[in-house]
Amino acid sequence: MKDTVSLWFDPAKCLIAGEWIAPAQGGTLPLYDPSTGEQIGEIARGTAADIDAAVAAAQAARDGVWGRTPAAERGRILMRLGKLVEARVDELAAIEAQDVGKPLKQARADAVALARYMEFYGGAADKLHGETIPYLDGYTVYTLREPHGVTGHIVPWNYPMQIIGRSVGAALATGNACVLKPAEDACLTALAFAALAKEAGLPDGALNVVPGLGSEAGAALSAHPGIQHISFTGSVATGAAVQAAAAANVVPVTLELGGKSPQVVFGDADLDAALPFLVNAGIQNCGQTCSASSRILVERSRYDELVARMAERYAGLRVGRAVDDLDVGPLISAKQRGIVSGFLDQGSDLEVAGRPELRDLPEGGYYVAPTLFAGVKGDHALAQKEIFGPVQVVIPFDDEAEAVAIANGTDYGLVASIWTQNGARQMRLAKAIRAGQVFINNYGAGGGVELPFGGVGKSGHGREKGFEAMYGFTSLKTVAAFHG
Ligand code: NAD
């Protein structure tokens, strides 16, 4: 890598069985800085042969030292790893900022979250246990929570550190051995994390990392017969392909596929409190967030005021290079900029309520102007499709029933928030809205590693984060002993 960021691993290598090795076919992929569009290095292009080696290494770890490591010791290793991450927070943030294009402060928050995941899952490793079940006379029945074995983790480019933390953290805490396939657009912190895991004393083969293309390494991992569970975060189409590939081996899959998450603002809402959440949840990480709040539903009595105040914030948004650490950075790639620009074109029939001027940006960077559209109908394409860019739509509603109908009127159901002082309405809507997480008078609850996360509908299935993820990474065995 160029300039500012120094690495403690070789991005052109995979980590398999504790060894840094070049991909079997010797391939590399170009690495770009989204802030400038310049090529800054090369990463490994792992293929099916490397996935085979990584799965074999993981199985050997399960059959060997890692499989015999007691839960408390697994926890200590994860907690040590958390401390190593903590000690490198600024370096990890610098790597991620350059790789993903996210402003430094946001990249730093991801690194802090990664350390916190290790702390949480390290502490939880020896707290997961089975139960005894009262049964017939002469029997003792109990359950065991056992790791699946070898788990596959396919991770996207938008929040590599957070998504690795929540999925690999829970899988290792419960004793699985992992094969991690980071995204071709942003794989550096996955390798950085794996190097730190080795330093923390994680046995060889317990965590293997194979960077590469989705169509090569990703497809090979999801179809591999040696995998016993797959955790995937990314697009709906790829998630469906991963699930289909895993189905051939009857392997369980956790899918986290994004959303079109609404914030529902009623007439009695505290707009001063709501405003930062309304805007930040749309523009954070340049809108490339699965739980981005891309739809703002507002009761008509407050519509003009809300649009005016959000528009003012939009006009003041500062867009710049990740290292400038402003409000919004570039998108991840030229391809993503093409996708987002296509959506903006689809909004040509809409009122642009707020949009900042873009100034002094490097010519080759993948920038797009954050855009607030107002007066949008719930069935407009921009109110239905996941844009994955800094674009929000404001949709007016007249009563509670209409608000619920619009909130539930997409294919997705990941996150929602309700802004109202009316307690009964808070409770009714928390039940009525289809989503994996509902927030009342806040949005996102600061990320909360303890809080189970996942979707319904096309947002996916299964839960990550919190204790719930540990249930997902284990299989329950019932033991019934007859002793008379
Ligand atoms: P993607 O779903 O194609 O990629 C996500 C991960 O899956 C990457 O690691 C990729 O290498 C891998 N992958 C790709 N094809 C695969 C295959 N056939 N088998 C196994 N793994 C495969 O996402 P993308 O192309 O990077 O982004 C496209 C769109 O996906 C975005 O515009 C956005 O809407 C959505 N997305 C959502 C999330 C999220 O957090 N929910 C994250 C990234 C992208």
Side-chain angles (χ1 to χ4, degrees), residues 154-158 181-184 212-215 218-219 222 232-235 238 242 256-258 290 335-336 339 386 388:
I154 301 176
V155 169
W157 39 261
N158 54 345
K181 207 302 279 175
E184 50 273 47
L213 294 172
S215 55
S222 48
F232 171 85
T233 304
S235 62
T238 306
V242 167
E256 204 278 273
L257 307 178
C290 48
K335 177 183 151 203
Q336 193 66 16
I339 294 172
E386 184 179 49
F388 237 58

Side-chain angles (χ1 to χ4, degrees), residues 3 10 45 61 81 86 101 107 124 145 148 196 222-223 239 244 263-264 267 271 292 304 307 333 347 357 446:
D3 309 320
D10 183 345
R45 179 178 180 168
L81 175 51
E86 225 168 72
R145 285 224 163 254
H148 291 300
L196 295 179
S222 48
Q263 299 202 57
V264 186
L271 261 197
D304 289 340
V307 170
S333 61
E357 294 265 331

Side-chain angles (χ1 to χ4, degrees), residues 194-456:
L196 295 179
K198 200 168 151 58
E199 196 181 325
L202 188 71
D204 292 347
L207 172 60
N208 307 276
V209 185
V210 181
L213 294 172
S215 55
E216 296 177 355
L221 181 58
S222 48
H224 204 289
I227 293 284
Q228 281 96 38
H229 180 280
I230 295 181
S231 153
F232 171 85
T233 304
S235 62
V236 175
T238 306
V242 167
Q243 180 162 318
N249 298 313
V250 197
V251 164
V253 176
T254 298
L255 296 181
E256 204 278 273
L257 307 178
K260 196 70 193 171
S261 297
Q263 299 202 57
V264 186
V265 183
F266 284 91
D268 65 346
D270 177 351
L271 261 197
D272 291 337
L275 261 176
F277 290 91
L278 296 178
V279 175
N280 289 348
I283 55 138
Q284 183 179 312
N285 199 27
C286 204
Q288 302 164 115
T289 304
C290 48
S291 55
S293 175
S294 46
R295 294 186 298 152
I296 307 298
L297 281 49
V298 58
E299 195 162 3
R300 211 172 286 277
S301 59
R302 301 292 291 279
Y303 172 81
D304 289 340
E305 181 189 356
L306 178 138
V307 170
R309 294 185 70 181
M310 284 188 74
E312 191 186 340
R313 285 191 175 239
Y314 260 77
L317 288 174
R318 297 157 312 153
V319 179
R321 299 176 308 165
V323 285
D324 298 329
D325 206 12
L326 304 176
D327 305 310
V328 180
L331 292 161
I332 184 75
S333 61
K335 177 183 151 203
Q336 193 66 16
R337 189 179 48 188
I339 294 172
V340 174
S341 302
F343 278 115
L344 289 173
D345 291 345
Q346 288 187 54
S348 56
D349 58 330
L350 296 174
E351 172 200 344
V352 174
R355 183 181 270 169
E357 294 265 331
L358 298 189
R359 291 193 204 97
D360 306 327
L361 295 171
E363 217 164 82
Y366 311 131
Y367 299 94
V368 69
T371 303
L372 179 71
F373 290 107
V376 181
K377 294 235 161 53
D379 59 359
H380 192 283
L382 295 198
Q384 288 289 321
K385 301 247 172 12
E386 184 179 49
I387 297 172
F388 237 58
V391 181
Q392 288 179 294
V393 296
V394 183
I395 309 171
F397 65 84
D398 287 308
D399 57 30
E400 190 177 306
E402 192 190 4
V404 171
I406 298 171
N408 288 343
T410 73
D411 292 340
Y412 296 99
L414 191 59
V415 170
S417 84
I418 303 155
W419 295 89
T420 177
Q421 306 299 326
N422 180 330
R425 175 169 275 165
Q426 292 169 358
M427 297 300 113
R428 275 195 304 275
L429 264 82
K431 283 190 177 169
I433 292 180
R434 290 176 68 241
Q437 286 188 331
V438 174
F439 299 101
I440 297 171
N441 292 331
N442 75 99
Y443 191 90
V449 311
E450 307 86 344
L451 312 180
F453 178 73
V456 298

